[in-house]
Amino acid sequence: MKLDGGLGHLTYCLNIHPAQTWDEVKAALSGPVRAVKDQVSPDAPFDVGLRLSAEATDSLQNQAARDELADIFRENDFRALSMNGFPYGPFHGQTVKAEVYQPDWRTRERVDYTNALSAIMVELAQPGETVSLSTVPGTFKPLGAGAEAAMAANMIECVAECVRLKQETDTTVAIAIEPEPYCFLETIAETVDYFRDHLFSDGAVAQLAELGGLSKGEAAAALPAHLGLCYDVCHAAVEYEDPAGSIADLRGAGIPVHKIQLSAALRVAEVTPDAREALKAFDEPTYLHQVISRSASGLRYLPDLPEALARGTDADGEEWRIHFHVPIFVEEIERLGTTQGFLREILRLHKEDPISDHLEVETYTWDVLPPDLTALSMEDAVARELNWVMGQLG
């Protein structure tokens, strides 16, 4: 949906739907996505945040399937806004954990997958428009050392393909790297350094100029147009980032935010036996739930919730922030809290001085949330989330 006051476009990410195959994607678009549109944008175009697995993307290499996708968009008054190019393989119904980052930016598969998604998006979008494509923050934290330059070179190769598509279609694909806890890029400070030293460096400019047949000046201008950040609010909150300071740091470094993912995490203001007991309901086997604790001695990073809970009474008195996406309209959960306050502050900053043209709600955990948080149907819950955002920006 196009928001009033120049505040950009609002959608939600289709990674909440268990759509691994092309047939499942079609069913999601024609079913729950259409149902959400009917609630929140019945008389105006509805922006869609697509998610296509590698399997679905392979099916869409057939032009007849691409035409069918375009027909679904046209018939339902959908508008292509963004693509979640982060999860390559299955994302629901089986253990994902750290495998969600694979294949990562060290691999040819990640390059080919990203380029295929870009080609699909430019066919759906109108000439002159910009579409965003969020992606893995390099790789999982333990795997990034020594691969910094290789990952950057692969990302620049995808930027060169975006430049080619722009020349061919007049549609801009903006690749948006998504920092995440316990990943190669997890903090804004790490991200700023990596862009300075690798992605926006003289070497990156030279590589793009050579691949795209551009002058160095043209390549330097093309880099931020086609490469920037997906600022996931849940992730930033788990990292204890400062909302205003982190956005100021990105602006100061010339790193555009091509997409904001509007999300909230679990927060425990003070760990107690009662809070640890309540957290057991969120200890589920599908997704990785990184935990960062804060105490007088500083921050402690744990790769998943079971490791955090195993600390037992040693953790009592700490603050915990947990990478578990919870409905953004929920401020408190029984015996636990959320980082909704961080999200409200980001939306306040956006209202004062827009951060990005693309805003995407991303609560993908509906099928693993405790039962007391899933009383609404998925469609009604998503509509409530979108309406909550509009209320914050109104």
Side-chain angles (χ1 to χ4, degrees), residues 152 156 159 175 177 191-206 208 219-229 250 253-256 258:
I156 301 305
V159 172
I175 297 172
I177 300 167
T191 300
V192 167
D193 288 347
Y194 190 65
F195 270 78
R196 180 196 65 220
D197 296 339
H198 292 279
L199 298 178
F200 286 177
S201 67
D202 291 343
V205 170
L208 182 57
L223 275 170
H226 295 287
L227 187 62
L229 215 65
L250 292 169
I255 302 171
H258 289 308

Side-chain angles (χ1 to χ4, degrees), residues 22-23 54 63 67 91 97 120 159 177 206 216 232 299 320 323 329 332 343 372 374:
W22 166 225
D23 284 341
Q63 191 57 53
D67 292 342
F91 196 59
K97 296 294 182 180
I120 291 168
V159 172
I177 300 167
K216 287 189 176 180
D232 187 301
L299 299 180
W320 280 8
H323 178 218
F329 51 76
E332 298 290 336
L343 176 57
D372 58 336
T374 56

Side-chain angles (χ1 to χ4, degrees), residues 248-260:
D249 287 346
L250 292 169
R251 285 173 169 159
I255 302 171
V257 178
H258 289 308
K259 175 162 71 173
I260 305 175

Side-chain angles (χ1 to χ4, degrees), residues 155-170:
M155 292 179 191
I156 301 305
E157 184 176 339
C158 287
V159 172
E161 176 63 9
C162 293
V163 169
R164 187 191 70 78
L165 290 170
K166 168 71 172 178
Q167 293 168 343
E168 187 178 283
T169 67
D170 194 32

Side-chain angles (χ1 to χ4, degrees), residues 181-192:
Y182 220 76
C183 286
F184 172 68
L185 295 180
E186 63 172 310
T187 68
I188 296 302
E190 287 177 341
T191 300
V192 167

